[in-house]
Amino acid sequence: MRELDRPSFASYVQPREMLARGRNMKRWLLTLMLSLLLAGCVLDGFDLPAGYRPAHPGAVAPLADRTVLHARLDPVEGGDVYLRFFSTGPTSYVVEKLTVLPDGEIAALPPAHVRFVPLDADHYALYWQMAAVPEQGYAVVRFADTGRMVALAPPADEAAVIALGGRHGLPATSRITGGFALDATDENRVLAFLAVLAARQDLRATVFSPLADLPPPLRTATLAGLGANVPRLKRADLGDEASAEAFAAYARMRAEDGGGVGHYLVARLAANGWGMAADSALAIREAEAAMRQGVPEAGHVIGAVHYHGLGVPADPVRAYPFARNAAEAGSPAAMALLGLALRDGRGVARNEAEARRWLRRAADAGHAPAHALWADLVLQDQSADGDRAAIEALDAGTAQDDVFAYSLRGFMHEHGRGGPRDLAAATMMFLAAAERGDAYAKFLAGERLRFGQGIAQDIPRGRALLAEAAQAGIADARAALERPDPAPQAVKKGCVEDWCKQALAFTDAYMQDLKLRMRKLRAELRTCPKLENPNLSCSELEAPPPASMSADGSPRVVYFFAYGCAKCAETGAFIKAWSDRRGVFVFRIPAIWGTGVNMEMARAYYALKALGVADALDGKMFEAVRAGRFRSGTVEEFVAFATANGVPESKARAAFGGPMKATLDHARDASRLYPLAAVPALFVNGRYQIGLGLGDAQTLADLDALLDELLAQEAMR
């Protein structure tokens, strides 16, 4: 398989056979904030699960190529929404969606592959699948006179829509954006549901009128948004083959329009064979054209083609200057490629310190595989601090669904790095990597399934994974398939005498009794110590939230805070000092109870973390909030705060305005899954909840003792 951004591991994997397949590309600039404003506009009606596979029966093409439509964003506040349709097939389009906010700021969604499917004589289900995020859905539209398109949003009565979906066998949930999510895989049911919905008389309408062309500033903004995401595209982001081919046709049109970004996009698609036949010569030509037109990041494509030998002889020396220039121009994938070259000494003198620096930059810039590549180098330090840093990096990688992060975390579990050896956790990580296409992980998971190592024995499933790995060229998998299958674990080999069978039966009964007694003892241990301080509370949770305990057996402490919480400033400083002293990693999560300023303060924390200054500026952010300098949670307030503390304006603006939907969703989900009523709040291993009243010195001292006692208690479990 051709891989433009194929990295490799050094520390554990032999042979080095792993596929770089990042997923979950996030929305472009400001789209998380825009979702509330855009509810009811086209492309924001009914989200569908990843397993939905439409056939588009009877799809039609009611719009001419390059049609531009315009609507007001809000009749009171103002603002504008623009759609531009590129015809990419007999019945398909790729559509660009741009928005001008009431304050004049411009934002864009990724291009989407769309088709119009008739519902009745007047209405269409507009199916959409975004090119840079794993999302898909439907909007309901109709066409009026003089070429106008009317987007019909669901009525304000959410209960009626959910009930209507239920009658069609479609479980529906209201989203925070004002639209709905359908748990559906049956296209016929979905279309029938939308047809009935379209017949309602209480749908809210947004009218799009035709325009000759986009205003020039919006054309520029479209290319800027597209260019920022071209290096991050993965095959999974393009959807099914029809969507990938439509996106490739769109890229060629973009290149024909003379834009450097279009050439860059074609270069990436051609190098990887996404939506078109793989063609390295075309990829190099298109990348060179992009560079001539002011897109230096496109040099990454040329560098990767020569470095990995994709359709040409591998030539790392020739690749290096292209990778270096593209990395310095800001390409995250080029940063990762440069890190690999420096790590392995291919095309340039080996320099591990520089390799770490570039891989860290790539990870911070959103290149999913870079988290694991950086962690792989850090693990070579053979230190407790390095192991903790590697775990944090790999957690970030798995949060981006990176296959490498799952694999390397599995090796850490298997080798007892960062915690006790845990074959069960290792096997689960290898299975996760295998499910995401990692051929070598398929071999590892297949062998463990065959032998029941860390998982229930499943010989047929194990052999199937081994066969897939062997087909991908894994020699170890081919050798494993040639060996006979192990005996089923239910047969205790060697015990053929009656006395041996009786001994085994006695041992099994004894172990069952021991397990029961241990469970009883653990239940008795699950109690909070008696507290004398009225400002401190400890309570036991009835059931642990999901993922509340570490798989490797190490204690897991989760700390919820908010910048608007006065007590959280002093408590947060204490928690940082305590975690450093005890060597316990604390998961800091900004509490999110909705949208608005609360959400933007959480965004500020993650922006500071992305900039690498969260620890240094955390206290100052609390001060800024108390002083009213970060009151509304706007990007300008954040930029003013960051630049006043030594952060360049461009980096501050990019960090706060950049895509972080998955990160914020994770924090919001955690705030809901944990029984969180107020902040600051601490949770230990999902068993104990600690709340604080006043944050005086005595309370913090008592908190210190309480945490130590709970951790000691957990160590006995």
Side-chain angles (χ1 to χ4, degrees):
M1 177 180 290
R2 300 170 63 93
E3 292 289 344
L4 182 63
D5 306 319
R6 181 179 61 224
S8 60
F9 285 115
S11 298
Y12 296 105
V13 183
Q14 297 293 334
R16 300 174 185 174
E17 302 186 48
M18 292 205 170
L19 309 176
R21 293 188 180 181
R23 290 181 61 195
N24 291 339
M25 283 295 297
K26 300 174 185 176
R27 290 179 183 263
W28 292 355
L29 183 63
L30 290 178
T31 51
L32 181 63
M33 296 169 61
L34 282 172
S35 57
L36 282 171
L37 294 173
L38 299 184
C41 294
V42 70
L43 306 187
D44 199 19
F46 295 91
D47 283 353
L48 294 165
Y52 186 81
R53 295 291 180 267
H56 308 300
V60 297
L63 294 173
D65 183 31
R66 310 298 175 98
T67 293
V68 177
L69 299 174
H70 163 261
R72 295 293 289 169
L73 177 63
D74 186 274
V76 178
E77 299 294 333
D80 300 275
V81 180
Y82 296 85
L83 304 174
R84 178 161 58 170
F85 291 82
F86 292 80
S87 177
T88 55
T91 61
S92 69
Y93 304 85
V94 166
V95 62
E96 298 172 342
K97 180 179 180 182
L98 302 102
T99 302
V100 180
L101 295 176
D103 62 3
E105 191 160 6
I106 299 173
L109 284 172
H113 177 218
V114 303
R115 292 190 179 183
F116 292 89
V117 183
L119 295 174
D120 55 36
D122 300 314
H123 297 90
Y124 299 85
L126 173 53
Y127 172 81
W128 56 266
Q129 184 172 53
M130 289 192 184
V133 289
E135 295 181 12
Q136 57 181 338
Y138 281 101
V140 177
V141 303
R142 61 180 171 84
F143 287 93
D145 55 352
T146 65
R148 293 184 300 167
M149 185 179 78
V150 182
L152 300 171
D157 186 356
E158 295 179 356
V161 177
I162 293 174
L164 180 61
R167 289 196 292 274
H168 285 79
L170 303 174
T173 56
S174 175
R175 292 184 286 111
I176 194 170
T177 58
F180 293 83
L182 299 178
D183 184 8
T185 56
D186 187 333
E187 182 179 26
N188 291 329
R189 288 188 179 184
V190 172
L191 294 178
F193 160 68
L194 295 178
V196 174
L197 182 72
R200 293 177 65 106
Q201 301 300 311
D202 56 350
L203 301 184
R204 294 167 291 161
T206 301
V207 179
F208 287 82
S209 300
L211 291 179
D213 200 356
L214 286 177
L218 293 185
R219 291 200 299 270
T220 302
T222 303
L223 293 174
L226 183 62
N229 284 272
V230 169
R232 298 185 176 93
L233 277 177
K234 300 297 178 184
R235 175 60 186 86
D237 301 327
L238 303 182
D240 57 21
E241 192 58 33
S243 293
E245 291 175 359
F247 195 63
Y250 163 76
R252 286 190 289 266
M253 285 187 285
R254 271 294 185 195
E256 291 168 1
D257 288 344
V261 171
H263 289 292
Y264 184 16
L265 181 54
V266 173
R268 279 209 35 98
L269 300 178
N272 287 291
W274 295 342
M276 62 173 68
D279 189 336
S280 298
L282 174 62
I284 291 173
R285 289 197 305 273
E286 291 293 318
E288 289 173 340
M291 294 168 67
R292 286 194 299 270
Q293 297 186 40
V295 186
E297 299 91 334
H300 160 247
V301 175
I302 302 176
V305 166
H306 288 305
Y307 189 87
H308 296 301
L310 302 179
V312 299
D315 190 346
V317 173
R318 188 175 183 182
Y320 178 77
F322 289 102
R324 182 94 196 185
N325 292 337
E328 291 175 347
S331 167
M335 296 174 191
L337 180 61
L338 188 58
L340 286 176
L342 289 162
R343 183 198 72 180
D344 298 335
R346 297 187 66 215
V348 63
R350 188 175 184 278
N351 188 328
E352 186 175 309
E354 276 292 281
R356 292 190 186 199
R357 185 174 73 86
W358 280 107
L359 289 173
R360 183 70 263 170
R361 284 188 60 183
D364 291 342
H367 189 68
H371 293 288
L373 293 169
W374 180 83
D376 183 55
L377 284 177
V378 171
L379 285 170
Q380 296 179 30
D381 295 344
Q382 299 288 328
S383 68
D385 288 344
D387 287 0
R388 281 194 293 271
I391 289 172
E392 186 174 1
L394 294 175
D395 285 346
T398 55
Q400 291 181 255
D401 213 29
D402 174 54
V403 62
F404 287 121
Y406 286 107
S407 291
L408 190 51
R409 192 69 180 96
F411 282 108
M412 289 189 70
H413 284 305
E414 185 170 62
H415 291 270
R417 298 291 299 273
R421 189 172 185 231
D422 189 338
L423 294 181
T427 300
M428 297 311 296
M429 286 293 174
F430 292 143
L431 276 172
E435 290 168 357
R436 288 155 179 80
D438 182 348
Y440 199 75
K442 290 179 181 179
F443 157 67
L444 295 170
E447 278 292 82
R448 283 154 178 75
L449 281 165
R450 279 213 307 167
F451 286 90
Q453 187 178 22
I455 194 170
Q457 188 180 37
D458 189 338
I459 293 175
R461 185 184 177 195
R463 289 192 65 85
L465 282 173
L466 288 173
E468 292 179 21
Q471 188 175 7
I474 304 300
D476 289 344
R478 288 196 296 270
L481 286 170
E482 293 172 359
R483 296 191 290 268
D485 290 328
Q489 289 181 346
V491 178
K492 297 178 172 66
K493 299 179 69 174
C495 289
V496 295
E497 308 293 339
D498 288 343
W499 63 267
C500 186
K501 294 179 181 178
Q502 292 170 1
L504 284 172
F506 174 82
T507 301
D508 288 344
Y510 175 80
M511 290 302 297
Q512 290 299 323
D513 179 67
L514 182 61
K515 288 179 181 177
L516 288 173
R517 284 188 285 156
M518 287 299 296
R519 280 200 293 268
K520 182 179 179 182
L521 178 60
R522 287 172 179 168
E524 293 172 354
L525 285 173
R526 186 178 169 179
T527 58
C528 281
K530 183 178 180 181
L531 300 176
E532 302 295 337
N533 192 326
N535 295 320
L536 193 61
S537 66
C538 177
S539 58
E540 300 102 38
L541 302 182
E542 290 297 324
S548 59
M549 292 179 284
S550 300
D552 61 7
S554 61
R556 183 182 180 99
V557 179
V558 179
Y559 170 57
F560 287 93
F561 72 99
Y563 282 132
C565 160
K567 292 181 294 185
C568 292
E570 187 175 1
T571 305
F574 161 80
I575 292 296
K576 176 67 168 61
W578 176 85
S579 65
D580 291 343
R581 175 174 62 83
R582 287 298 308 270
V584 175
F585 180 74
V586 176
F587 293 83
R588 294 189 66 197
I589 302 177
I592 299 180
W593 289 292
T595 58
V597 176
N598 176 241
M599 176 78 77
E600 301 316 308
M601 287 189 177
R603 178 184 288 273
Y605 167 71
Y606 287 118
L608 293 176
K609 191 172 182 181
L611 291 166
V613 296
D615 288 343
L617 299 185
D618 202 50
K620 293 185 177 181
M621 176 56 81
F622 278 107
E623 294 174 4
V625 172
R626 283 199 299 268
R629 296 192 299 274
F630 193 79
R631 181 192 303 273
S632 303
T634 65
V635 64
E636 298 304 329
E637 285 182 336
F638 180 81
V639 169
F641 166 79
T643 53
N645 288 282
V647 178
E649 179 181 348
S650 59
K651 291 186 177 181
R653 194 174 295 277
F656 188 80
M660 58 173 73
K661 181 178 185 297
T663 302
L664 292 169
D665 283 350
H666 171 74
R668 181 169 49 216
D669 290 343
S671 301
R672 186 182 70 253
L673 292 173
Y674 281 83
L676 188 63
V679 290
L682 284 153
F683 295 85
V684 178
N685 268 11
R687 303 184 189 280
Y688 312 100
Q689 177 176 1
I690 302 172
L692 289 90
L694 297 176
D696 55 64
Q698 183 58 51
T699 297
L700 294 179
D702 291 342
L703 174 60
D704 186 285
L706 174 61
L707 286 169
D708 285 352
E709 185 169 351
L710 289 178
L711 290 185
Q713 187 168 291
E714 283 295 284
M716 296 173 60
R717 295 180 58 83

